[in-house]
Amino acid sequence: MTLVTGKDILAPARADGYAVGAFNTSNLEITQAVFEAASEMRSPVMVATSQSAITYAGHEQIRFMVEDLAERAGVPAALHLDHGTDLDVVRSCLEHGWSSVMIDGSHLPFEENVRVTKEVVEMAAPRGVSVEAELGRLMGIEDEIAVAASEATYTDPDEAREFVERTGCDSLAVAIGTSHGAYKFKSEPKLAIDRLRKIAERVAVPLVLHGASAVPPDVLGLAQRYGAVLPGARGVPPESIREAVAHGIAKVNIDTDLRLAFTARVRQVLAETPEVFDPRKILAAAREGMKEVVKSKMELFGSTGKI
Ligand code: TD4
Ligand code: CA
Ligand code: ZN
């Protein structure tokens, strides 16, 4: 299947009460893991690239890799720009065949966020590409911009309605207590589900949950057993994700859990078989670990068997 838009994938998800995973990639093995999982689980999928991932791997390499693997997998797939910060980055992705883009104006004052998001919607429309926007600020680190807890703000439900009406964005990322990376909560994890419910009442477009990795204990444990130093790593429990999906979240972003699975498996292979120096043996193990993570996410989000 050729690439489809984010809207093509997310509108049915919101309507049917399931979510689709958007998995960040920057190399071959991550992308293979995502599409092998999608193919086996008969699940639609989104592959996301941050600006730094594009700098790392290159537009063309990412585009052709994703397009080819999507075709072979035979599942509906979108190639998505994650956290686009300005019009130039969005334009370059549109020119290189991305089928979905995010403009993240969440750090801007409301009116400026509206303005830049509208510009992106207008820019993407002629190509039929869908646009994700963000309102409210997640704490944590994102594209090397650190947001302190004191500056993090939850999404306001009434503002969300006005924002979507005025911008015409196709999906909306909300801030309800998650954050990027492996250190999401100092104490007990808690999401603002009440607030999410209010947003979902006012906003009909699919809602997006960033910073949704679980930091699964088994994966973290494996990485730590082989020497990873990740004290206090903690993510969003599966029950909270299930609740969020039941209340309007239709796209769930996962990056950290893939990084952890990759790291755990590479460490394990190198430690257990020190005679191995074939990159394919090392990376195939990493790919297997990431594929298991992707499959379990698809089950949790309810996107399996949807094609
Ligand atoms: O949007 N994302 C992924 C952001 C990754 C950006 O990092 P780089 O600039 O280093 O590529 C998420 O919402 C993922 O959330 P998670 O909980 O997996 O960290
Ligand atoms: Ca943001
Ligand atoms: Zn994000």
Side-chain angles (χ1 to χ4, degrees), residues 82-83 102 134 138 142 180 210-211 253:
D82 195 21
H83 294 286
M102 176 187 188
E134 179 166 301
L138 274 62
E142 155 195 313
H180 291 106
H210 283 248
N253 286 13

Side-chain angles (χ1 to χ4, degrees):
M1 234 182 183
T2 51
L3 298 175
V4 300
T5 69
K7 188 176 180 176
D8 290 333
I9 287 178
L10 299 178
R14 172 89 205 249
D16 288 2
Y18 64 94
V20 175
F23 301 96
N24 285 78
T25 193
S26 55
N27 75 10
L28 177 65
E29 284 77 10
I30 302 171
T31 316
Q32 288 174 324
V34 170
F35 279 110
E36 282 177 20
S39 172
E40 285 175 29
M41 304 304 273
R42 308 312 298 153
S43 171
V45 73
M46 294 181 73
V47 174
T49 56
S50 66
Q51 288 169 215
S52 50
I54 295 169
T55 303
Y56 178 82
H59 279 109
E60 285 83 2
Q61 290 86 335
I62 292 173
R63 153 85 188 280
F64 290 119
M65 177 176 69
V66 170
E67 204 165 52
D68 185 57
L69 286 166
E71 249 163 63
R72 287 167 199 276
V75 299
L79 174 55
H80 176 75
L81 168 66
D82 195 21
H83 294 286
T85 47
D86 60 61
L87 298 184
D88 289 341
V89 176
V90 170
R91 191 179 294 109
S92 72
C93 285
L94 293 174
E95 284 168 356
H96 284 91
W98 265 239
S99 62
S100 177
V101 291
M102 176 187 188
I103 176 71
D104 181 358
S106 61
H107 53 289
L108 300 169
F110 183 83
E111 287 299 328
E112 281 175 51
N113 192 357
V114 169
R115 189 177 46 77
V116 70
T117 300
K118 270 175 87 167
E119 281 186 66
V120 169
V121 169
E122 280 160 25
M123 190 190 279
R127 295 179 192 260
V129 168
S130 54
V131 176
E132 173 182 333
E134 179 166 301
L135 189 65
R137 300 185 70 178
L138 274 62
M139 60 179 171
I141 297 162
E142 155 195 313
D143 276 327
E144 288 116 47
I145 305 164
V147 178
S150 57
E151 292 165 37
T153 44
Y154 287 171
T155 306
D156 178 84
D158 291 320
E159 276 191 3
R161 170 176 21 214
E162 183 186 340
F163 185 85
V164 171
E165 276 172 11
R166 286 176 59 190
T167 61
C169 63
D170 300 287
S171 59
L172 184 71
V174 295
I176 55 167
T178 60
S179 62
H180 291 106
Y183 305 92
K184 299 186 191 298
F185 303 98
K186 287 217 166 58
S187 55
E188 279 314 292
K190 180 125 187 62
L191 299 193
I193 296 292
D194 254 12
R195 183 177 289 266
L196 174 61
R197 186 183 292 123
K198 288 187 184 128
I199 298 167
E201 279 167 13
R202 291 163 174 77
V203 172
V205 298
L207 302 175
V208 181
L209 190 63
H210 283 248
S213 276
V215 187
D218 55 334
V219 177
L220 179 65
L222 189 66
Q224 286 172 326
R225 180 155 11 116
Y226 291 102
V229 179
L230 299 157
R234 190 196 281 250
V236 185
E239 311 82 71
S240 299
I241 297 292
R242 213 173 276 122
E243 235 189 325
V245 172
H247 291 97
I249 293 294
K251 171 174 177 275
V252 181
N253 286 13
I254 301 291
D255 182 20
T256 295
D257 286 352
L258 299 183
R259 296 184 186 201
L260 289 171
F262 183 101
T263 301
R265 293 301 184 105
V266 168
R267 283 182 175 280
Q268 183 180 29
V269 177
L270 294 177
E272 286 182 353
T273 48
E275 69 280 10
V276 164
F277 63 96
D278 180 344
R280 292 167 298 188
K281 292 215 168 97
I282 300 164
L283 294 175
R287 183 173 64 197
E288 207 46 46
M290 293 188 289
K291 181 176 160 186
E292 279 171 25
V293 167
V294 175
K295 286 171 84 167
S296 78
K297 297 295 178 190
M298 288 170 167
E299 272 173 354
L300 174 64
F301 304 160
S303 67
T304 59
K306 294 295 182 186
I307 55 169

